[in-house]
Amino acid sequence: NFAKNKINSARYGNFQIKIPDKNDKLGLYKSLNSLFESICDRDLVITEYREKEKENYNLKEEFIATLTHDLKVPIIAQDKTYDLFLSDKFGKLEDIQKEVILKLKESNNDLKEMVESMLETYKMEYTGIVLNVEYDIDVVSFIEDYIEGAKTLASSNGKQINLYFGCNDIKADFDKFLIKRVLNNLVINALVHGKNSNKIDIHLNKTADNFSIDVIDFGDGINEEEIQKIFNKYYSLTDKSTRVSTGLGLYLSNKIVKKHKGSIEVESKKGEGSIFRIILPVKYTEN
């Protein structure tokens, strides 16, 4: 019975056992003891390997965070320099020169976006997403303010942002900074992939408990197979465009919206464009 109880405990993952084998005429218990020792040794090796992998992962993430933080300084300085050129601080520029500098500024903004995405990903995975929720926010004003700030970005890409209201009176609770970040990620995606049109449409709607923001491009659309992957870390659709991407924008956006107890839905048809829909609760509760 003693040996039977010992063997039964192994069924539940306890292999640090030894069965007395003094009267083991067939050598069965001795063989079982050797097997349990072998399993324990292997388990120890696997545990050490996992700890080493975790340590290597943390070192890699810390390196990325330090690198991206240090990269932000020259990128911002470069952006300010472009602004000085464009404002004729160093003498009047020809139209062709301004056009070239605007292109350089656009590329620099892409680089800044990539660096910020990498840094934010590290922060959110290391410390978790911390929400600074504000209550009873006027959502219409929030969206209008965002679009006003995004006009320059849209016009530099030859597009116009149109806003449509399904409801003019929406009050909701959310982190304005982070939801603005999500909205910006979706608009940038629409600018990159909506090549077949000169516009982006944003629709705002409300139900009893939720409100939704639709960002609609009129581009090539997304394959069903790719829709299943677009929120994965480092997955990018931009291999078909000239814009480089970390593949973190949608990954971060999904994390932020889920932290708000919301969701992001995607509707897309090849050749007709895509709809990215942010759905958020009107009232935020922590539990």
Side-chain angles (χ1 to χ4, degrees), residues 4 9 11 23 40 42 44 47 55 62 74 86 100 113 147 158 206 215 217 230 251 256 261 279:
K4 183 179 179 181
S9 70
R11 292 169 58 195
N23 299 317
C40 285
R42 186 167 296 182
L44 181 62
T47 300
E55 181 182 343
E62 287 175 13
L86 292 170
V100 170
E113 189 75 24
I147 290 176
K206 181 181 179 295
V215 178
D217 68 51
I230 56 177
Y251 171 80
I256 291 168
K261 298 183 172 61
I279 302 174

Side-chain angles (χ1 to χ4, degrees), residues 109-121 124 142 146 174-188 243 246 248-250 252-254 256-257 278:
N109 285 336
D110 285 346
L111 181 58
K112 184 170 69 172
E113 189 75 24
M114 290 171 61
V115 168
E116 286 178 349
S117 291
M118 292 173 70
L119 189 57
E120 285 179 20
T121 301
M124 288 181 182
F142 170 77
Y146 168 75
F174 54 89
D175 185 317
K176 291 171 72 173
F177 175 80
L178 289 179
I179 295 302
K180 181 180 178 181
R181 180 72 177 163
V182 172
L183 195 55
N184 200 53
N185 284 336
L186 298 186
V187 168
I188 288 173
R243 186 177 184 268
T246 59
L248 292 172
L250 291 177
L252 279 173
S253 297
N254 196 36
I256 291 168
V257 171
I278 308 166

Side-chain angles (χ1 to χ4, degrees), residues 185-247:
N185 284 336
L186 298 186
V187 168
I188 288 173
N189 277 351
L191 290 173
V192 171
H193 298 290
K195 296 178 180 178
N196 301 336
S197 175
N198 61 356
K199 67 175 182 176
I200 296 169
D201 288 351
I202 296 179
H203 291 248
L204 181 62
N205 293 289
K206 181 181 179 295
T207 61
D209 300 318
N210 302 305
F211 72 97
S212 63
I213 306 169
D214 292 4
V215 178
I216 307 170
D217 68 51
F218 299 88
D220 294 330
I222 307 170
N223 290 321
E224 182 65 31
E225 181 183 341
E226 289 181 311
I227 289 177
Q228 306 303 318
K229 302 176 184 177
I230 56 177
F231 294 110
N232 293 348
K233 193 175 184 181
Y234 301 127
Y235 187 81
S236 175
L237 294 169
T238 54
D239 56 338
K240 298 169 187 174
S241 73
T242 56
R243 186 177 184 268
V244 179
S245 170
T246 59

Side-chain angles (χ1 to χ4, degrees), residues 108-145:
N108 197 60
N109 285 336
D110 285 346
L111 181 58
K112 184 170 69 172
E113 189 75 24
M114 290 171 61
V115 168
E116 286 178 349
S117 291
M118 292 173 70
L119 189 57
E120 285 179 20
T121 301
Y122 169 78
K123 286 179 180 178
M124 288 181 182
E125 296 196 339
Y126 187 74
T127 64
I129 300 175
V130 179
L131 298 182
N132 181 25
V133 176
E134 298 179 42
Y135 297 88
D136 293 324
I137 297 168
D138 185 330
V139 181
V140 171
S141 295
F142 170 77
I143 300 293
E144 287 177 333
D145 288 345

Side-chain angles (χ1 to χ4, degrees), residues 3 5-11 14-19 32-34 36-37 40:
N5 291 335
K6 287 284 188 179
I7 293 171
N8 280 335
S9 70
R11 292 169 58 195
N14 178 20
F15 297 105
Q16 294 181 335
I17 56 178
K18 185 173 178 63
I19 304 172
L32 284 172
N33 286 333
S34 296
F36 293 150
E37 287 177 10
C40 285

